[in-house]
Amino acid sequence: MDETRTNRSLWTLTAPPRDFPALAGDLVVDVVVIGAGITGLTTAWLLKRAGKRVAVLEMNRILSGQTGQTTAHLTELLDTPYATLRRDFGEKGARLAASSSRAAMEQVASLVQELSLDCDFQRVPSFRYAETARQWASLEQELSAARDAGLHASLTHAVPLPFPVKGALRVEDQALFHPRKYLLGLVDSLIGEGCFLFENTRVTEVHDGAPCRIVTDRGTVTTAAVVEATHSPLNRVLLQTKLSAYRSYTVAGPLEGPLEPGQYYDSQEPYHYIRTQSVEGRAYVIVGGEDHKVGAEEDTGRRYAALEDYARKHFPVKQLTYRWSGQVIESTDGLPYIGRNSASRHVYVATGFSGTGMTFGTLAGMLISDLILGRQSPYAALYDATRVKPLAGAKDFIQENAETAFRFVADRLAKPEGKHLSEVAPGEAKILEVEGQKVAVYREADGTSHAVSPVCTHLGCHVHWNGAERSWDCPCHGARYSPTGKVLNGPAVKDLPSRKLPR
Ligand SMILES: Cc1cc2nc3c(=O)[nH]c(=O)nc-3n(C[C@H](O)[C@H](O)[C@H](O)COP(=O)(O)OP(=O)(O)OC[C@H]3O[C@@H](n4cnc5c(N)ncnc54)[C@H](O)[C@@H]3O)c2cc1C
Ligand code: FES
């Protein structure tokens, strides 16, 4: 599983686990999809329907990536405001961003209906609310851009929240669902007739060509096309310079008072996102937020505590019975990169979904399957993975890459936090010096210790401890490792090597 003991994802705990075999030996198929989240499974399903033989290769368990850590609002309200999209991608680009999100939402709705998927799919309104005059003014500006882009949006002072707000941008006909139940339903009709799903099969090398060769730790797969549905693209250095990885936190508990079913977002930076969900017939509220750059915070338990505080203060909830966190990847220009990878002939990527990867992941499945099948897609140019927009996001691009370069150097020069195992208390982790080398050491509560190299196997930045998830996280492009060095999150594909424990 991606996450550790402190992670209690509502989706994982309320939909039964399913086991799939690992790849055993070599295989030939039409398309290899790497990664079994919403992007990979949707792509695979659509390609199978079109008659392709597809193999999905997942390094952990299916849905153990960010799709298991989501809050699953299906919405046209993107993280990048429509006013910004209009400025950076033009009127047409903003309209396409809205219509593609709508198309993805309707794709989910039609599969729910076609396959009779019991996944709590529900149409609800969405409210982005303002608590200050300044926030209200910015919603007023966003209204015209959102309407011009085609959203069914209005401003309202009637916001069904249990605390007073100035008003909200209300968008009609958005949706909620249980992502794991939905995708487990897709999986049921994915396997068979030349299509496969393999768990515990990590892709270590992707060789483009005719045919392509996909090397895994379990065998090699030969194929005509490859889709990297890995959330963070594997070893794509150029693309990684246009992405930044953030962690986001979520808590959920049973409602003790009324809250109308819906999606709610405040206007803070970073924003809180709230939704309702029924669990065994009881109404729950799910509250998310407290985002920060991966690796920028060691005491991540503090983020959960702040979120629990926020949830209890604002909503009729006492017990927060679920909590989980995951990763969100931002692109520098505000829209995802979906399509053929630059300099590749048969390798496709899908990344940079920000906080709307349920729709963008579904859209990626639609768009990439169209490209592989040789069909035209109205969205291909907008999301082109090779695009370079010199102005949009230029400031962020420079800042993010300067930060990565800074981390690369600063963490190497940073002094170790000690030399002896006795300096690490049970439950703690530190970077120690052992025989002149830095070593990342974690001591479990029972005293068992693990020592691994702190050098990320992706591009060599140094990892930082994440206290709440008990993982070593890389601040450069978001790779994560377990205390024993196992890759939990790409873009890394190799584990951190073990090191000798200090005395
Ligand atoms: C807390 C949180 C809340 C969110 N809320 C929302 C929301 O309300 N609405 C919304 O639209 N989006 C939301 N998102 C974003 C959304 O969940 C993600 O963008 C989406 O799930 C990404 O799906 P994916 O299939 O691309 O990636 P993933 O689900 O991460 O799947 C990628 C898979 O690839 C596998 N993989 C990686 N490397 C390899 C390899 N080398 N070999 C084999 N397999 C590999 C991984 O193990 C993983 O299972 C949220 C995200 C978080 C973290
Ligand atoms: S994730 Fe790129 S260097 Fe660690």
Side-chain angles (χ1 to χ4, degrees):
M1 278 311 260
D2 175 350
E3 307 295 332
T4 56
R5 280 162 286 172
T6 56
N7 192 295
R8 288 178 49 77
S9 160
L10 183 147
W11 315 120
T12 309
L13 294 170
T14 55
R18 296 268 305 275
D19 293 333
F20 298 92
L23 176 67
D26 296 347
L27 186 71
V28 181
V29 288
D30 298 326
V31 183
V32 164
V33 174
I34 311 171
I38 192 164
T39 305
L41 293 175
T42 309
T43 310
W45 196 92
L46 292 173
L47 286 168
K48 179 184 180 180
R49 183 163 67 180
K52 294 285 181 195
R53 289 170 310 140
V54 186
V56 180
L57 309 176
E58 166 55 50
M59 71 173 173
N60 293 319
R61 307 291 306 278
I62 67 162
L63 306 173
S64 64
Q66 309 322 312
T67 302
Q69 314 301 325
T70 188
T71 49
H73 303 210
L74 288 164
T75 178
E76 292 162 291
L77 270 179
L78 307 179
D79 284 4
T80 309
Y82 280 98
T84 309
L85 289 177
R86 186 163 63 183
R87 185 194 68 201
D88 293 344
F89 294 86
E91 192 85 48
K92 187 175 167 209
R95 287 191 75 81
L96 280 171
S99 66
S100 56
S101 301
R102 165 61 57 190
M105 218 185 302
E106 295 311 326
Q107 172 74 79
V108 173
S110 83
L111 284 176
V112 169
Q113 197 172 31
E114 181 184 335
L115 304 174
S116 305
L117 301 178
D118 181 8
C119 64
D120 311 331
F121 183 88
Q122 186 185 12
R123 305 268 183 181
V124 293
S126 185
F127 298 90
R128 173 155 286 157
Y129 57 88
E131 293 166 282
T132 65
R134 202 159 158 204
Q135 291 173 357
W136 179 249
S138 98
L139 288 185
E140 282 178 327
Q141 268 188 4
E142 181 62 357
L143 175 69
S144 78
R147 275 190 175 157
D148 288 350
L151 268 66
H152 187 181
S154 58
L155 284 181
T156 177
H157 293 287
V159 189
L161 280 167
F163 52 93
V165 294
K166 291 227 172 298
L169 178 72
R170 176 181 167 127
V171 184
E172 309 303 330
D173 199 21
Q174 309 298 290
L176 298 173
F177 71 146
H178 189 306
R180 199 173 150 83
K181 287 185 185 170
Y182 166 75
L183 289 161
L184 286 173
L186 282 198
V187 163
D188 282 337
S189 53
L190 176 64
I191 299 164
E193 298 152 41
C195 291
F196 308 90
L197 173 44
F198 298 110
E199 291 186 321
N200 299 311
T201 303
R202 188 190 301 173
V203 171
T204 53
E205 292 168 37
V206 174
H207 298 280
D208 190 13
C212 303
R213 215 162 47 83
I214 309 303
V215 181
T216 79
D217 53 357
R218 307 282 186 159
T220 298
V221 189
T222 307
T223 182
V226 186
V227 183
E228 287 188 10
T230 47
H231 196 234
S232 181
L234 303 176
N235 285 332
R236 306 281 165 210
V237 179
L238 191 64
L239 192 48
Q240 286 290 353
T241 62
K242 299 191 278 181
L243 302 170
S244 325
Y246 288 79
R247 285 205 75 74
S248 193
Y249 297 79
T250 309
V251 294
L255 279 162
E256 318 245 343
L259 178 65
E260 238 175 64
Q263 306 176 351
Y264 305 91
Y265 309 86
D266 70 13
S267 301
Q268 293 180 25
E269 184 57 45
Y271 65 87
H272 291 96
Y273 44 98
I274 298 115
R275 64 167 281 185
T276 49
Q277 169 67 22
S278 167
V279 178
E280 289 170 1
R282 180 148 188 209
Y284 275 58
V285 65
I286 304 176
V287 180
E290 288 292 323
D291 304 13
H292 63 80
K293 274 207 83 175
V294 175
E297 168 118 20
E298 181 166 326
D299 182 9
T300 44
R302 203 168 64 85
R303 300 293 180 148
Y304 277 125
L307 201 56
E308 286 185 6
D309 230 39
Y310 177 91
R312 289 200 181 95
K313 264 191 199 131
H314 290 79
F315 298 95
V317 62
K318 285 192 188 125
Q319 281 199 309
L320 291 157
T321 45
Y322 298 97
R323 73 177 205 173
W324 63 97
S325 79
Q327 234 144 275
V328 167
I329 298 187
E330 310 274 359
S331 74
T332 43
D333 67 13
L335 283 181
Y337 299 102
I338 305 171
R340 205 186 308 260
N341 184 56
S342 58
S344 298
R345 279 178 300 161
H346 308 288
V347 181
Y348 299 82
V349 291
T351 187
F353 296 158
S354 298
T356 46
M358 292 289 105
T359 37
F360 281 142
T362 304
L363 175 70
M366 297 157 69
L367 176 40
I368 292 176
S369 57
D370 277 347
L371 294 176
I372 290 175
L373 295 166
R375 295 180 189 145
Q376 295 284 325
S377 165
Y379 311 121
L382 181 68
Y383 296 110
D384 181 357
T386 64
R387 74 179 181 268
V388 181
K389 292 193 71 68
L391 290 179
K395 198 166 130 250
D396 289 351
F397 175 83
I398 293 164
Q399 192 177 327
E400 292 291 345
N401 284 291
E403 264 175 46
T404 301
F406 170 76
R407 287 260 63 95
F408 186 84
V409 177
D411 291 341
R412 270 156 200 275
L413 297 178
K415 277 177 90 175
E417 298 164 275
K419 289 192 170 179
H420 304 289
L421 193 55
S422 58
E423 293 169 83
V424 188
E428 242 184 28
K430 280 189 178 160
I431 303 290
L432 300 183
E433 187 183 313
V434 183
E435 295 171 3
Q437 268 198 332
K438 282 188 187 163
V439 172
V441 176
Y442 170 60
R443 267 185 105 174
E444 296 193 33
D446 68 3
T448 315
S449 303
H450 309 281
V452 293
S453 159
V455 183
C456 176
T457 59
H458 178 226
L459 292 176
C461 289
H462 278 205
V463 294
H464 291 221
W465 184 243
N466 173 344
E469 306 299 346
R470 293 185 197 128
S471 58
W472 291 107
D473 296 2
C474 180
C476 287
H477 313 102
R480 295 178 58 240
Y481 305 86
S482 74
T484 55
K486 182 174 179 268
V487 174
L488 299 174
N489 264 137
V493 294
K494 285 195 191 122
D495 296 341
L496 294 174
S498 338
R499 289 280 181 258
K500 197 170 137 194
L501 270 173
R503 277 177 294 116

